[in-house]
């Protein structure tokens, strides 16, 4: 995931999704079932999600989770990354 003045960009293996700041309603951390290491199995964890302003907008996959390869068993690192993205979102949405 990348954050820039244009918006949030989430890069996956075969797709790239960019959401402009004008379309971003909220970026927040929630407790929910998340995929464990990207596998079909889910476990309870935290996820940083993007809520769009548009009514009926498709549900985007979580931006970050506590159980992906980057943050597994590193809750403090997830908290720092989520706080940083939330701060950037607040800054760019108000600009």
């Amino acid at each position: 995931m990348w954050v820039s003045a244009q918006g949030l960009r989430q890069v996956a293996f075969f797709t790239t999704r960019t959401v402009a700041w004008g379309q971003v309603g909220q970026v927040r951390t929630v407790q929910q079932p998340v995929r464990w290491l990207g596998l079909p199995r889910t476990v309870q964890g935290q996820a940083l999600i993007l809520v769009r302003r548009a009514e009926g907008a498709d549900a985007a996959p979580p931006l970050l989770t506590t159980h992906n390869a980057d943050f597994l068993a590193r809750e403090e690192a997830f908290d720092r990354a989520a706080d940083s993205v939330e701060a950037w979102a607040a800054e760019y949405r108000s600009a």
Side-chain angles (χ1 to χ4, degrees), residues 8-93:
L8 282 170
R9 178 172 289 163
Q10 189 171 19
V11 179
F13 194 66
F14 289 113
T15 61
T16 299
R17 176 178 307 167
T18 303
V19 180
W21 289 117
Q23 298 174 348
V24 174
Q26 287 182 320
V27 176
R28 60 188 164 126
T29 305
V30 295
Q31 190 82 8
Q32 70 179 31
V34 296
R35 295 175 76 177
W36 183 71
L37 294 174
L39 299 172
R41 177 181 174 207
T42 60
V43 295
Q44 194 65 22
Q46 290 186 29
L48 183 68
I49 63 167
L50 168 70
V51 180
R52 293 181 184 221
R53 287 187 180 165
E55 296 265 338
D58 59 335
L63 301 171
L64 307 170
T65 70
T66 53
H67 287 78
N68 66 9
D70 294 325
F71 301 109
L72 189 62
R74 297 178 52 219
E75 288 184 29
E76 289 180 13
F78 172 81
D79 291 338
R80 282 192 309 270
D83 289 345
S84 297
V85 173
E86 288 173 356
W88 286 330
E91 178 182 336
Y92 285 126
R93 278 183 306 177

